[in-house]
Amino acid sequence: MCPRFVTTLEYFLISPSMSIRDAIASIDKNSEGIALVTDDGNRLIRTVTDGDIRRAMLAKLALDDTIGTLLRSQITPVDSKPITAPFDTSDASILRLMNELKIRHVPLVDEHNRVVDIALLRHLVRDYEPGLEAIVMAGGFGTRLHPLTEETPKPMLPVGGRPLMEYTIKQLRNVGIKKVNIATHFRPDKIIDHFGDGSDIGVDLNYVNEMSPLGTAGALGLVEEWRGTLLMINGDILTNVDFNAMHRFHQEHQAILTVAVRQYDLQIPYGVIESNDSFVVDITEKPEAKFLVNAGIYLIEPSARTHLPKEERFDMTDLIKKLIADGQPVACFPIREYWLDIGQHDDYIRAQEDAKNGRV
């Protein structure tokens, strides 16, 4: 049987005995957000998506745990049967199935349930686009990076010979985002002079200038009303995050806002005492605390706009708290890819090294 969709089927196949880390490597290699779990006879057992991996991270499963452990968890219900189609199913029928079930991949199997191909939405719909707009927050003063930022906005600092924000805009373009807003305040001329209308990069740039700082969420009120999901990213971030994977995660959880998060480990350099009144009941030597921290990347639905105050300072933390208080679904998307917040001089030095070493 000659494959119709993929010529590198092996990039999709994993076994239950392999690790979650191996599944991540498979998903990254095929760039389609899915891996197919098969037995020794290549018969399909289950599927594991990028979203399943992210939920496993939030559930604190170790990346060295096996795929079998993941499949037995509550993250991917045991009774969830993978959606498949016979190998000779027509493209029109596959597309209809995808539309009905709102899925992007359909494994194609033979009469013995052996995987012989995988149908991909992007091959069936050539002009498929994520439907995202974006806004890059580039209005800060970057005072912690003085003297480098005394006359230059932080997002315009050179990294590997080009402005930091150029990496972000090109990454947005590469995932199919055509319209990008840039929120400016400090020295907007430096940004506008470099990027212009965005045509040289292949995007449509629109500038919104804050006359006075409005905070990370307040600037959203200056953007022309967006109709689809808006991707918002701080202009001082260097990352390889899969924005399309984040969008799929956002849609799966039907969130009004999704915030990207990173795990931050804090090593306490002392023995920590637990007491009951005047008596010690336990002691833990140099424990490590794990936190999820805001990574400065968000997906926001148009309906969130009604929760924004008009022309007053309002940060994303304020918006998130307000949405939660109003009973709106706010999701968190764990980042497993490269991410660096360039807030201080040491971060900037590391960014230069990472660019030189090809990590970015």
Side-chain angles (χ1 to χ4, degrees):
M1 297 179 182
C2 182
R4 294 150 56 192
F5 294 94
V6 299
T7 56
T8 52
L9 186 60
E10 64 272 16
Y11 290 175
F12 291 84
L13 304 182
I14 57 176
S15 70
S17 62
M18 296 173 72
S19 69
I20 295 174
R21 194 184 305 277
D22 292 328
I24 291 174
S26 177
I27 288 172
D28 287 347
K29 188 177 290 186
N30 67 51
S31 301
E32 297 294 345
I34 193 170
L36 308 181
V37 186
T38 59
D39 64 14
D40 292 339
N42 218 34
R43 289 178 290 270
L44 183 65
I45 302 172
R46 296 277 291 283
T47 61
V48 173
T49 67
D50 182 88
D52 293 331
I53 299 294
R54 312 272 179 179
R55 284 183 284 273
M57 293 170 63
L58 292 173
K60 296 182 170 52
L61 266 67
L63 296 185
D64 291 324
D65 285 342
T66 66
I67 298 301
T69 301
L70 172 61
L71 296 182
R72 289 190 295 271
S73 71
Q74 295 299 311
I75 299 163
T76 57
V78 173
D79 59 353
S80 61
K81 184 179 179 181
I83 304 300
T84 64
F87 176 76
D88 57 358
T89 304
S90 69
D91 288 0
S93 295
I94 294 172
L95 185 57
R96 186 161 53 248
L97 180 65
M98 288 178 170
N99 287 333
E100 288 174 358
L101 300 178
K102 294 181 171 53
I103 55 179
R104 299 169 44 254
H105 332 82
V106 175
L108 302 181
V109 298
D110 64 13
E111 64 273 19
H112 302 293
N113 200 41
R114 291 180 298 216
V115 179
V116 293
D117 201 357
I118 178 168
L120 306 173
L121 178 61
R122 66 180 181 87
H123 286 166
L124 293 168
V125 183
R126 299 297 178 179
D127 58 350
Y128 174 74
E129 294 177 358
L132 290 170
E133 292 185 27
I135 179 169
V136 181
M137 310 304 292
F141 292 99
T143 51
R144 289 181 297 172
L145 281 170
H146 278 185
L148 298 175
T149 52
E150 287 181 342
E151 294 296 327
T152 302
K154 183 163 56 170
M156 295 302 295
L157 290 177
V159 173
R162 52 191 169 119
L164 164 63
M165 194 164 64
E166 189 172 311
Y167 289 91
T168 299
I169 294 176
K170 287 183 176 179
Q171 186 182 4
L172 295 171
R173 176 203 63 192
N174 291 343
V175 298
I177 298 175
K178 295 181 178 179
K179 183 175 181 180
V180 179
N181 301 278
I182 300 179
T184 62
H185 175 64
F186 173 66
R187 294 303 304 266
D189 55 301
K190 296 268 187 165
I191 299 173
I192 297 171
D193 289 347
H194 180 82
F195 291 107
D197 62 4
S199 57
D200 289 344
I201 298 180
V203 295
D204 176 17
L205 291 183
N206 174 57
Y207 299 92
V208 291
N209 187 54
E210 303 173 53
M211 299 306 294
S212 59
L214 295 174
T216 47
L220 290 174
L222 301 177
V223 179
E224 291 182 8
E225 189 168 344
W226 65 94
R227 296 182 180 179
T229 307
L230 183 72
L231 191 155
M232 177 178 177
I233 182 169
N234 293 346
D236 56 359
I237 289 174
L238 201 57
T239 184
N240 293 333
V241 170
D242 186 338
F243 295 137
N244 282 336
M246 184 176 177
H247 189 204
R248 291 191 296 270
F249 190 93
H250 174 78
Q251 292 175 318
E252 289 170 7
H253 293 81
Q254 299 180 329
I256 189 172
L257 185 149
T258 294
V259 53
V261 296
R262 286 279 292 180
Q263 181 171 300
Y264 182 81
D265 298 337
L266 179 63
Q267 182 76 52
I268 300 174
Y270 307 103
V272 173
I273 297 290
E274 183 180 344
S275 65
N276 183 5
D277 294 329
S278 301
F279 296 94
V280 174
V281 296
D282 199 7
I283 180 170
T284 305
E285 186 64 26
K286 299 179 180 178
E288 185 177 70
K290 298 180 183 294
F291 302 93
L292 292 177
V293 299
N294 186 347
I297 308 171
Y298 315 86
L299 287 173
I300 311 163
E301 290 302 307
S303 56
R305 194 184 182 104
T306 60
H307 298 262
L308 295 170
K310 293 186 180 296
E311 297 183 9
E312 65 180 71
R313 185 177 181 86
F314 202 63
D315 287 321
M316 285 302 293
T317 50
D318 300 320
L319 177 58
I320 290 170
K321 289 179 179 179
K322 190 172 191 307
L323 290 172
I324 294 171
D326 291 345
Q328 298 295 322
V330 177
C332 58
F333 175 81
I335 293 176
R336 58 175 177 77
E337 299 91 341
Y338 173 86
W339 177 91
L340 179 64
D341 175 15
I342 304 177
Q344 304 187 53
H345 286 275
D346 287 347
D347 302 321
Y348 185 56
I349 293 170
R350 179 182 167 188
Q352 301 288 9
E353 293 172 350
D354 289 347
K356 181 179 179 180
N357 294 332
R359 294 196 66 196
V360 183

